[in-house]
Each structure stands twice: as structure tokens, then as C-alpha cells.
Amino acid sequence: MSNASRLLVVDDDQDLRDTLAEQLGLYDEFRVSTAETATGAIEAVKGDRIDLAIMDVGLPDMDGRDAVKVMRQGGFRSPIIMLTAQGSDTDTVMGLEAGANDYVVKPFKFAVLLARIRAQLRQYEASEDAVFQIGPYTFRPGSKLLTTEKGSKLKLTEKETAILRYLYRAGQAVVGRDTLLTEVWGYNSNVTTHTLETHIYRLRQKIEADPSNARILVTEPGGYKLIP
């Protein structure tokens, strides 16, 4: 699924790294990549969109917390969950102050880590820092921007941003017109489906190569869906 969350697992323990990558890879909602060093993690988040990083503290080339600081200083805004064998309050505070969002102590149950990952992704998707991929565009709802692969920027209105964000989160499910009206405009008796259709038309003029033959924002019986 093309709107799957991209996870980066960073651990020098190959068995643990491979096991986590394999288990997380069983879920269609994730795409998983790995790194075994802090340097590898820092380069990975520069080179590709990563929606969440799982970082071990005890990496061979650098303390994982120092690596997190470098990643944050380099502009990485996605959630980071740290893995550690040390469960002291001091250790947790150090990790959080370095820029981590959450802390999981080894050994841990996979179900617990999975729940933490999903919780962090939900918070991130609702934040101003969230970044999504829609077709050939990078979508930054917090900035109301679509950026093309060549770096050109398309400015969106607040309503256009809200429509794209809601359709993206629907995961290619068809969203009814009344649902979109309620979610984007709220309850307002003066707003009609014609208003929504006008905004959809304008969005297609911006994002579709051929607006009359939409391939990204598609009309379906009963509503619309996004094919990211």
C-alpha cells in the first residue's frame, strides 16, 4: 500500500533488527528499512522520508541519544522511539531530552512496541510536522503545500488541504460527499455538495496531469477517494 508508514529500525543486534523488521513487515500499514549504526540512521533520514524511527541507545559508533540530537538538528521531525536495556528514570529523561518521543525498555513484548508505534504515528499525523506522499507530490498539510519531485511548490487553500488530509487518512476507501462536507466544513446548512465539487475541481486543476481524466483524486459512486 503506497501510503504505508515508513519505519526505520536501528539496532546493531542483527537478530533483533531482523526480527523487528520481519514482524513489522507483516503489516500492510508499514514499510520497513533498517540500519545497524548511528551513522547509517543519520544518512537514512536525510535520504528518504521516514515516518518513525526505532533507535537503540547502545550503537557501536555513537550513543543513540547523541544520534537523535544530530537527527533533530538536521531537521528530522518524525517520531523517534528509543530502545534501551536501562530502565532508570535518569536514562529515560536523557533520551527524551535528546529529542526522542518515547522509550521502550528491553526486553519488551512486540505488541507493546506496536501499540507505541501506532500511537506515535497518530500524534504525528495530527501535527504540523507531518509529511505524506501523494502520487508525485510530497504533501505538508501544516504548511498547506504540495512539492513536486523537481522541487516546485503548489500552495493549497485551507479547505483543499483539509480535503486531501481526510482522503489520505481514509486509505483509498471511498469517502461520501456528506462525510467530506461534515469533516471539512463542519455542520453548516449553507454549504452544499456544489461547494465541495468546486473545491475538488480546483484541486484537480492543481494536482492532475489531465484534470479531465483524474488518476489521483478519483470520483467513485457515492464520493471520492485518493490514490496516493
Side-chain angles (χ1 to χ4, degrees), residues 93-108:
V93 168
M94 288 173 64
L96 295 175
E97 287 186 344
N101 300 82
D102 201 355
Y103 232 76
V104 175
V105 179
K106 299 176 181 179
F108 53 85

Side-chain angles (χ1 to χ4, degrees), residues 13-27:
D13 181 335
Q14 183 174 348
D15 288 341
L16 177 59
R17 188 174 69 246
D18 291 348
T19 298
L20 282 180
E22 182 180 352
Q23 289 182 310
L24 291 167
L26 295 174
Y27 295 84

Side-chain angles (χ1 to χ4, degrees), residues 77-147:
R77 295 289 175 263
S78 300
I80 299 174
I81 297 176
M82 301 217 70
L83 305 179
T84 179
Q86 304 295 323
S88 69
D89 290 343
T90 301
D91 200 61
T92 302
V93 168
M94 288 173 64
L96 295 175
E97 287 186 344
N101 300 82
D102 201 355
Y103 232 76
V104 175
V105 179
K106 299 176 181 179
F108 53 85
K109 292 183 178 178
F110 176 74
V112 172
L113 178 62
L114 181 62
R116 298 283 186 92
I117 290 170
R118 286 172 170 162
Q120 288 297 330
L121 286 172
R122 283 195 300 271
Q123 291 180 34
Y124 174 64
E125 287 181 3
S127 77
E128 293 299 297
D129 294 324
V131 179
F132 308 113
Q133 194 69 31
I134 296 177
Y137 305 101
T138 300
F139 177 38
R140 290 178 169 81
S143 304
K144 301 183 182 67
L145 278 180
L146 287 172
T147 306

Side-chain angles (χ1 to χ4, degrees), residues 12 17 25 31 52 59 68 75 79 97 103 107 142 145 147 151 157 198-199 204 206 218 228:
D12 62 330
R17 188 174 69 246
R31 283 177 55 191
L52 182 142
L59 296 171
V68 168
E97 287 186 344
Y103 232 76
L145 278 180
T147 306
T157 67
T198 299
H199 280 77
R204 284 180 174 148
K206 291 182 178 181
V218 179

